[in-house]
Amino acid sequence: MILVDSHAHIYTKEFKEDIDDVIERAKEVGVEKIYMPNIDHESIESMLNLAQKYPGYCIPMMGLHPCSVEKDFEKQLYEVEEYLSKEPFAAVGEMGTDLYWDKTFYEQQKEAFKIQCELALKHKLPIVIHCRESIDETIELVKPFSERGLTGVFHCFTGSLDQANQIIQQGFKLGFGGVATFKNGGLESVIEKVSLEHIMLETDSPYLAPTPNRGKRNEPAYVKLVSEKIAAVLDRDVEEIGEITSRNSKNLFINP
Ligand SMILES: [Zn+2]
């Protein structure tokens, strides 16, 4: 069984005590790589330390999360840019828009999004998009950049089939995680109709643990539960789901 966790924040305090066991459990179920999106300037050091401890296995990305976009976002993006010019990263991210938690800095979020799209184009990297309550807005935001060749993934996709198709038409992938396993997640109809070539698996650890671990701390080994759910919805072999989605992740991201 081959699996890739395309989105996990395993450098956060939630993993401080047992990160080595977490990695061991991921390897046991077949996880080949764990891609780590950055959050903001406070998370960079612990993320890079983990990447250094597990080279080629825990792979870092560089970006500014929309929920960390505040008044000082330009200063934070300057730091992101500095890192992008001196070290290799798998992608720019995570970045995006979030109208769920706080709308105060929405204009700044959009500005930070555009700046990071430019950085990704400049460094020939894909992007990892977070959008919550803002899928349509974000599809519009990314359009001029996808027309210039930018690709990436809409991580933790929870939208409709129509939105999924618009994203795919722009050359972007869909990231499916714990929500795909939730009883009321409503994603079966999307999974059934979208080609596997456009799907990547993720956990978003430590958040959004899949059923039956919903509510607990999430970890990369649980990406297997997501692959099993997709296999069940499509009535296909779980090994095949793992293989195709892992290939999609490895092809999209830059591997150091
Ligand atoms: Zn995330």
Side-chain angles (χ1 to χ4, degrees):
M1 181 89 187
I2 297 171
L3 289 163
V4 164
D5 186 350
S6 64
H7 195 113
H9 305 276
I10 47 170
Y11 48 79
T12 58
K13 61 178 187 320
E14 285 84 352
F15 296 98
K16 224 178 172 112
E17 301 299 321
D18 64 342
I19 184 61
D20 296 323
D21 298 335
V22 166
I23 301 284
E24 207 42 56
R25 285 196 290 275
K27 287 182 175 170
E28 269 165 27
V29 301
V31 175
E32 271 194 330
K33 283 181 191 299
I34 300 168
Y35 292 96
M36 305 185 293
N38 187 42
I39 299 170
D40 56 29
H41 69 114
E42 282 174 14
S43 56
I44 294 176
E45 198 186 324
S46 53
M47 178 184 72
L48 292 180
N49 285 342
L50 191 58
Q52 211 167 36
K53 193 172 178 194
Y54 293 98
Y57 192 80
C58 297
I59 304 171
M61 302 172 178
M62 183 48 62
L64 179 61
H65 193 290
C67 295
S68 294
V69 169
E70 292 173 15
K71 284 198 192 79
D72 70 340
F73 78 97
E74 279 166 317
K75 197 173 134 212
Q76 289 218 50
L77 285 179
Y78 184 73
E79 196 181 1
V80 165
E81 185 171 11
E82 279 202 321
Y83 271 104
L84 286 171
S85 1
K86 66 181 183 199
E87 286 181 43
F89 290 97
V92 175
E94 75 184 272
M95 49 184 275
T97 56
D98 193 310
L99 293 176
Y100 178 80
W101 291 109
D102 189 354
K103 299 177 180 68
T104 316
F105 293 105
Y106 183 48
E107 288 309 313
Q108 287 88 340
Q109 286 181 11
K110 288 193 282 190
E111 190 55 32
F113 185 90
K114 291 178 195 165
I115 292 170
Q116 291 182 86
C117 284
E118 291 292 354
L119 286 175
L121 282 168
K122 180 179 163 195
H123 292 278
K124 298 188 170 58
L125 292 170
I127 61 173
V128 173
I129 299 175
H130 164 112
C131 53
R132 193 151 182 207
E133 308 274 314
S134 57
I135 299 183
D136 288 329
E137 291 86 345
T138 309
I139 289 172
E140 278 310 307
L141 265 179
V142 83
K143 214 169 251 170
F145 297 99
S146 63
E147 282 163 5
R148 290 164 60 195
L150 186 66
T151 60
V153 57
F154 277 66
H155 116 81
C156 191
F157 179 77
T158 53
S160 66
L161 179 61
D162 179 52
Q163 289 166 327
N165 284 330
Q166 289 183 52
I167 288 166
I168 290 166
Q169 270 162 20
Q170 291 196 44
F172 277 70
K173 306 271 183 230
L174 306 169
F176 283 108
V179 178
T181 69
F182 296 170
K183 251 207 175 85
N184 54 358
L187 285 171
E188 274 103 339
S189 56
V190 178
I191 293 166
E192 274 168 4
K193 296 209 172 63
V194 165
S195 163
L196 271 181
E197 302 302 321
H198 306 299
I199 292 178
M200 289 161 42
L201 305 186
E202 62 169 68
T203 59
D204 204 12
S205 301
Y207 316 107
L208 293 170
T211 307
N213 301 322
R214 193 172 179 178
K216 295 186 190 153
R217 181 191 72 173
N218 201 357
E219 63 173 69
Y222 298 166
V223 74
K224 186 163 189 266
L225 297 166
V226 182
S227 72
E228 286 167 354
K229 169 70 181 201
I230 291 178
V233 171
L234 298 177
D235 194 21
R236 283 173 76 162
D237 186 24
V238 69
E239 311 246 326
E240 196 189 358
I241 306 295
E243 198 175 302
I244 296 170
T245 55
S246 298
R247 190 171 60 218
N248 295 342
S249 294
K250 288 186 275 186
N251 284 346
L252 176 68
F253 295 138
I254 307 299
N255 295 287

